[in-house]
Amino acid sequence: MLPSIYEPVCAYENLKLAEKKARKRKTLKPYVIEFERELDKNLLALQRELRDQEYKPKPLETFIIRDPKTRKISKSDFRDRIVHHALCNIIEPIIEKRFIYDSFANRKGKGTHSAIKRFEEFKRKASKNNTKTCYALKADIRHYFESVDHNILITIVSKHIPDEQTLRLVRLILGNHKTAIAGKGMPLGNLTSQFFANVYLNELDQYVKHQLQARHYIRYVDDFVILSDVKEELHAYEKEIAHFLRERLSLEIHPEKTKIVKMTDGVGFLGFRIFPYHKLLRKKNMKKFEQKLRLYQQRHTDSAIDRHTVASSLQGWLAYSAQANTYKYRRHIVRQFNQWFPEQLNVSHPDTITEFRPEKCEDAPLACIPIAKSAHSKSFQRRLDEADTPFTIQKTHRLFNRGIPIEQIAQQRRIKVNTVWAHLSKLIEYNQMPLLKAVQRERANMILSAIHSEKDQLIEIKARLKDRAITFNEIDCALAHYRLQNKKKKPHQS
C-alpha cells in the first residue's frame, strides 16, 4: 500500500490536472498535440511507472539565452513536466505554509508588484516616514541555482515530507540535471527548480526573521534586501548572513552585487531604482523593451505577427512600468505603438478619403491587419475593455469604439464635449483611429481640400469652407489626419 503523501502524487486525477497545467499556453505545440492524441493511455502509463517506481526522466534539452545576460536554460520533456506539476500539486501546499510572508517569488498572490509595494511600506517604516536617513543592504547570492546542494535540499524537504518514496522522486528529478560538480545545481526553467529554490532559501528567511530578528527583510529568489536606519546594524547582518549561507547552505554572497546603499542614492531592486519619494525604471530594461518593439515592427511589416500579439506584450510592459513614475514614458510608448501598429489602414493621399477595404491591403503602402475575429482576439479586447486604463484618451477611445455617442461619453466621463473631440483628434494624429470614424466622408474630403498647410489655423480653414455647418471640432480632426499623412511622407522625401 502506498504512503499517504506519494499516493496522491500518483493519482490519475492529479496527473490529469498536472497535464492541464503543463500544457498551459502550449496547446499548439507538436509535442502537446502528440501526447493528447492518446491522453488517457499516456497518463495511465505514467501513473503505472510512478506507482511501480519505474519512472525515469528523459535527458534535459539545454540551450543558451542572452537576455540580458548569458544563461543556460534546461527544458524537460513534456512528460516529465507533468510529473513536476503532479509533485508540486501535492507537496507545495504542505511546505508553502512554512514560508515567511515576505518571500515573493513564484508564489500565488505574490510577485514583483507585491514585492515593490512591500519595499515601499518597509521604506516608510525604517525611515520613520522619510524623517530619518535610511539605508538598504542589497544582496545577491553568487551562482545560486548552480550551487544548490542536493543533500542539503533533501534534508530540508524531509523535515516537511517524511516519505521515502516522495523523496526518491525528488532525488530523481534533481539528479537528472548534470553539472560539473556532482550532487549540486538545479536547472533554470523547471517548475520544480522554482519551487525548491524557495524551499532552500526558506532556511535563510527563517534565520533572518527569527534569529537576527531583522524586521524589514524582503526576498525575491536569490535577491534580498534589508532596510534600516542604522548602517552599522546592516553591516552586522551582512557578516552574519554570509556566515550562515556558507556554513549551513553551502552558498556564497556575491561580493560585487552585495552593498549597503543610502536610500537617497537609489536602491536597485527588481528592475527599479527606488528613491525616498519616487521610483524609476532601469534604463537597460527600457532599452530592452524598445528594441523588442522595433523587432515587432519589422515582423509586423512582414506580416509575421499581428497587432493583437504586440498589444498583449505591450499591455504586460505597461502594467510593469506603471509601478514606477513613468506616466510620460508610458504615454510615449503607447503613441509609438499606435504609429507603428495602426488599427486600420489610413489612406496616404491627403485630399481624399476612401473606405478601408481588406481586399486592397495587398497593394497598400502600410502593413494591413484587419481586426481579428478569433476567440483569443475577442478575449484580449474584453480584457482591454475591463482594464483600468491609466490614460484618459485611451478611456475615451474604448467608449467611442463601443458606438457610444460623443455627448454621452462626455456625460459618462464627466468631461466637456470639446474635450472628447480633442481626444479623438489626438487618436487620429497618432494613427490609432481613422478620420472616417469621427467625421463623415463628404465633410472630411471637403475639409481636407481646404487645408493648405499643417500650420493652418482652424479659423483660416473654416473661412475657406462653403458649408458653415462644419464644426471646428471636425476641422481639428481633419487637420490631425493631415498632419499624420505628412509625418508618413517625410521619411520618404529625405
Side-chain angles (χ1 to χ4, degrees):
M1 187 170 178
L2 291 170
S4 59
I5 296 296
Y6 194 63
E7 186 174 4
V9 172
C10 305
Y12 180 82
E13 293 77 11
N14 184 45
L15 291 175
K16 195 166 186 179
L17 174 63
E19 191 275 338
K20 187 177 180 181
K21 290 182 177 180
R23 73 173 187 173
K24 192 174 182 180
R25 292 188 290 272
K26 296 178 179 64
T27 52
L28 299 180
K29 295 288 186 181
Y31 56 79
V32 176
I33 296 172
E34 180 65 27
F35 188 90
E36 291 187 337
R37 278 177 184 161
E38 296 182 303
L39 180 61
D40 289 339
K41 179 182 176 182
N42 289 329
L43 289 179
L44 287 171
L46 187 57
Q47 182 189 37
R48 185 170 57 254
E49 289 180 27
L50 289 169
R51 282 179 176 272
D52 297 341
Q53 298 188 32
E54 296 176 352
Y55 165 75
K56 290 184 179 179
K58 293 184 179 180
L60 299 172
E61 181 184 339
T62 302
F63 53 94
I64 305 296
I65 64 168
R66 294 175 176 83
D67 188 19
K69 60 184 179 181
T70 302
R71 294 178 184 270
K72 186 167 76 171
I73 305 296
S74 298
K75 185 172 73 171
S76 296
D77 184 78
F78 181 66
R79 196 167 181 266
D80 297 328
R81 276 181 261 166
I82 295 174
V83 174
H84 298 170
H85 278 279
L87 176 64
C88 289
N89 284 347
I90 304 304
I91 69 171
E92 185 175 359
I94 298 171
I95 302 178
E96 209 265 350
K97 290 186 291 187
R98 273 76 174 182
F99 293 167
I100 67 168
Y101 180 85
D102 294 314
S103 169
F104 286 93
N106 307 311
R107 296 177 66 191
K108 291 180 181 178
K110 299 292 184 176
T112 57
H113 183 63
S114 297
I116 294 296
K117 285 180 68 176
R118 189 65 163 168
F119 187 104
E120 292 278 344
E121 180 184 339
F122 282 166
K123 179 188 70 175
R124 289 192 295 270
K125 288 182 178 180
S127 65
K128 304 294 187 292
N129 206 19
N130 293 323
T131 60
K132 298 183 70 174
T133 302
C134 183
Y135 301 90
L137 167 60
K138 173 68 175 63
D140 183 276
I141 297 173
R142 178 189 287 199
H143 306 309
Y144 173 53
F145 279 87
E146 298 172 21
S147 305
V148 170
D149 188 288
H150 294 180
N151 290 330
I152 296 175
L153 178 57
I154 291 293
T155 301
I156 295 169
V157 174
S158 65
K159 292 190 298 185
H160 311 292
I161 311 292
D163 173 35
E164 188 51 44
Q165 288 180 300
T166 305
L167 294 175
R168 179 186 174 277
L169 180 59
V170 172
R171 289 191 191 96
L172 202 61
I173 293 170
L174 292 173
N176 194 39
H177 180 56
K178 308 302 179 185
T179 57
I181 304 175
K184 284 209 169 191
M186 296 190 301
L188 284 170
N190 274 4
L191 171 72
T192 48
S193 297
Q194 297 171 7
F195 173 62
F196 289 136
N198 273 340
V199 173
Y200 202 77
L201 283 182
N202 183 53
E203 299 297 300
L204 172 65
D205 298 342
Q206 300 296 335
Y207 175 73
V208 172
K209 295 296 287 187
H210 300 298
Q211 298 297 319
L212 298 182
Q213 296 186 350
R215 298 174 62 192
H216 306 131
Y217 165 81
I218 301 171
R219 182 178 63 80
Y220 192 95
V221 194
D222 58 334
D223 289 340
F224 61 90
V225 62
I226 305 176
L227 302 178
S228 175
D229 60 341
V230 181
K231 192 174 184 180
E232 291 74 19
E233 184 179 52
L234 295 179
H235 279 297
Y237 286 157
E238 182 180 359
K239 290 179 183 178
E240 294 289 342
I241 289 171
H243 181 265
F244 176 86
L245 289 172
R246 185 169 55 252
E247 297 299 320
R248 296 282 295 276
L249 299 178
S250 190
L251 299 173
E252 294 287 338
I253 278 185
H254 201 298
E256 296 175 5
K257 296 182 180 180
T258 300
K259 57 187 74 173
I260 295 174
V261 184
K262 198 174 182 179
M263 186 60 68
T264 52
D265 294 334
V267 179
F269 188 56
L270 301 181
F272 297 91
R273 285 191 67 205
I274 306 175
F275 296 84
Y277 297 100
H278 68 286
K279 297 189 295 291
L280 300 177
L281 282 174
R282 293 177 67 179
K283 288 186 178 180
K284 73 173 186 178
N285 288 354
M286 296 165 68
K287 288 180 180 178
K288 175 183 167 184
F289 181 78
E290 287 163 14
Q291 289 171 356
K292 184 178 180 181
L293 199 61
R294 279 192 284 270
L295 178 62
Y296 280 155
Q297 185 198 18
Q298 295 172 5
R299 295 183 62 197
H300 180 264
T301 304
D302 297 335
S303 299
I305 191 171
D306 62 29
R307 184 178 190 270
H308 293 290
T309 301
V310 183
S312 185
S313 176
L314 175 66
Q315 189 180 28
W317 173 249
L318 291 176
Y320 171 76
S321 59
Q323 298 176 60
N325 300 88
T326 55
Y327 177 82
K328 289 184 178 180
Y329 168 75
R330 285 179 285 136
R331 185 175 60 183
H332 160 73
I333 287 293
V334 168
R335 287 175 175 175
Q336 192 73 74
F337 168 79
N338 291 332
Q339 288 195 30
W340 286 357
F341 307 94
E343 185 174 357
Q344 290 182 338
L345 182 66
N346 285 310
V347 297
S348 58
H349 198 286
D351 294 332
T352 59
I353 294 181
T354 57
E355 285 185 298
F356 163 67
R357 295 183 180 177
E359 63 270 17
K360 294 189 176 182
C361 291
E362 189 176 346
D363 301 322
L366 299 175
C368 169
I369 298 180
I371 298 175
K373 300 297 183 183
S374 67
H376 172 77
S377 173
K378 291 177 182 177
S379 174
F380 169 75
Q381 195 62 45
R382 186 177 65 252
R383 291 199 307 273
L384 280 182
D385 289 342
E386 293 171 355
D388 184 17
T389 311
F391 308 113
T392 183
I393 295 178
Q394 296 300 315
K395 290 178 181 177
T396 297
H397 190 202
R398 285 186 4 242
L399 295 173
F400 189 76
N401 277 343
R402 294 176 189 169
I404 300 175
I406 291 174
E407 292 76 11
Q408 193 174 333
I409 293 173
Q411 185 179 4
Q412 185 173 332
R413 296 211 51 218
R414 297 181 181 178
I415 57 179
K416 296 179 180 179
V417 170
N418 285 345
T419 303
V420 177
W421 275 102
H423 290 173
L424 300 182
S425 174
K426 285 293 182 184
L427 290 166
I428 292 167
E429 183 174 355
Y430 288 103
N431 210 15
Q432 196 175 3
M433 190 181 83
L435 174 59
L436 291 182
K437 288 187 76 171
V439 183
Q440 293 178 358
R441 186 187 304 106
E442 184 179 348
R443 290 192 173 199
N445 287 331
M446 194 181 302
I447 298 169
L448 289 172
S449 64
I451 299 175
H452 298 162
S453 167
E454 60 183 85
K455 295 182 180 179
D456 282 357
Q457 299 295 315
L458 299 183
I459 195 167
E460 296 173 347
I461 302 170
K462 177 81 169 174
R464 298 178 194 135
L465 292 169
K466 296 179 181 178
D467 189 347
R468 298 300 174 185
I470 295 175
T471 66
F472 282 105
N473 287 322
E474 291 173 317
I475 297 171
D476 189 33
C477 288
L479 188 58
H481 173 82
Y482 187 94
R483 285 194 293 265
L484 171 64
Q485 301 309 318
N486 281 353
K487 285 180 186 177
K488 291 177 181 176
K489 285 184 174 183
K490 285 175 184 177
H492 301 288
Q493 292 174 345
S494 58

